Amino acid sequence: MKRVIVYPGSFDPVTYGHLDIIKRALKICDQLIIAVSSNPTKKSLLSLRERILLLKETIKEMKDVRVEEFDGLLVDFLKRKGVRIIIRGLRAVSDFEYEFQMVLANRKLDEKTETIFMMPTEAYFYLSSSLVKELAGLGADISRYVPKFVEEKLKEKISHAKSQKKTF
Ligand code: ADP
């Protein structure tokens, strides 16, 4: 039987930190589904479509991984896919509390789900999509953190947001 794992998140935008976790996850499963949350209550700079397109471009040379969107509860998405395992990345201290809460909440909703945590390489330990957006907004070089096409898309979105005086 194929071992399928779901890697959920906002990916606003995908970073090399996410990619690090994707590569690690592929070592322990036969198929990885990257589940992009369409949760409209969480404000994102990039649209769902843009987030998905950037992820697809990022993984285009990789086998056994695909990108899908989901809305509503993650456990319902898992049930629809017949998957029980969730993978999440774990960075420095900041992730712990939130991730513990999510594991317990998902377990209460469906006790069959299990969550696996993986740590990225040290270079990405403090990297987040928010940091990348902040740095890009200040005009910093973010090529160490995201692929070129992500950098270009971010710059385009940020200059558009600035011209509309929006925050991100
Ligand atoms: P969410 O809004 O669900 O936290 P994110 O896109 O911010 O969505 O993160 C998705 C997953 O990827 C989370 O498990 C997060 O911890 C992980 N992640 C994000 N950045 C990194 C990174 N630099 N290293 C390791 N894991 C990361």
Side-chain angles (χ1 to χ4, degrees):
M1 224 172 74
K2 276 198 167 180
R3 168 166 290 175
V4 187
I5 294 184
V6 166
Y7 178 31
S10 320
F11 304 97
D12 184 40
V14 57
T15 69
Y16 286 145
H18 292 120
L19 184 60
D20 180 292
I21 299 300
I22 292 168
K23 287 182 180 160
R24 287 176 202 281
L26 282 169
K27 292 184 193 163
I28 58 161
C29 69
D30 302 305
Q31 205 164 70
L32 184 70
I33 303 175
I34 303 174
V36 187
S37 162
S38 67
N39 187 354
T41 55
K42 201 163 174 186
K43 213 177 124 210
S44 60
L45 173 68
L46 302 172
S47 69
L48 177 65
R49 195 172 157 271
E50 289 168 326
R51 287 181 278 140
I52 289 176
L53 281 176
L54 292 176
L55 263 165
K56 284 192 172 164
E57 184 66 22
T58 306
I59 57 147
K60 75 170 188 229
E61 315 259 285
M62 298 169 82
K63 269 180 33 198
D64 305 319
V65 47
R66 64 176 194 268
V67 184
E68 292 191 20
E69 66 174 88
F70 81 98
D71 59 4
L73 289 173
L74 178 61
V75 290
D76 291 337
F77 177 79
L78 291 170
K79 274 186 205 153
R80 282 201 299 279
K81 298 283 156 194
V83 177
R84 290 180 172 183
I85 307 172
I86 301 166
I87 194 145
R88 296 281 289 175
L90 208 51
R91 288 162 292 185
V93 208
S94 61
D95 280 335
F96 280 76
E97 214 171 16
Y98 175 72
E99 295 295 340
F100 279 15
Q101 266 178 358
M102 290 309 291
V103 172
L104 294 178
N106 283 328
R107 225 178 246 169
K108 283 220 169 77
L109 292 165
D110 182 357
E111 64 187 20
K112 291 198 200 88
T113 60
E114 288 297 343
T115 306
I116 296 177
F117 292 100
M118 282 187 145
M119 286 199 308
T121 188
E122 270 171 271
Y124 305 139
F125 221 60
Y126 293 94
L127 175 58
S128 65
S129 299
S130 321
L131 176 73
V132 164
K133 284 183 279 190
E134 204 171 319
L135 289 174
L138 296 167
D141 176 13
I142 51 166
S143 56
R144 257 180 306 160
Y145 305 131
V146 294
K148 187 91 195 133
F149 48 86
V150 173
E151 187 175 356
E152 279 160 9
K153 185 77 197 169
L154 265 190
K155 285 192 175 144
E156 175 197 316
K157 288 295 275 197
I158 286 167
S159 70
H160 182 71
K162 276 185 177 164
S163 72
Q164 308 236 314
K165 294 206 165 35
K166 277 189 198 154
T167 51
F168 47 85

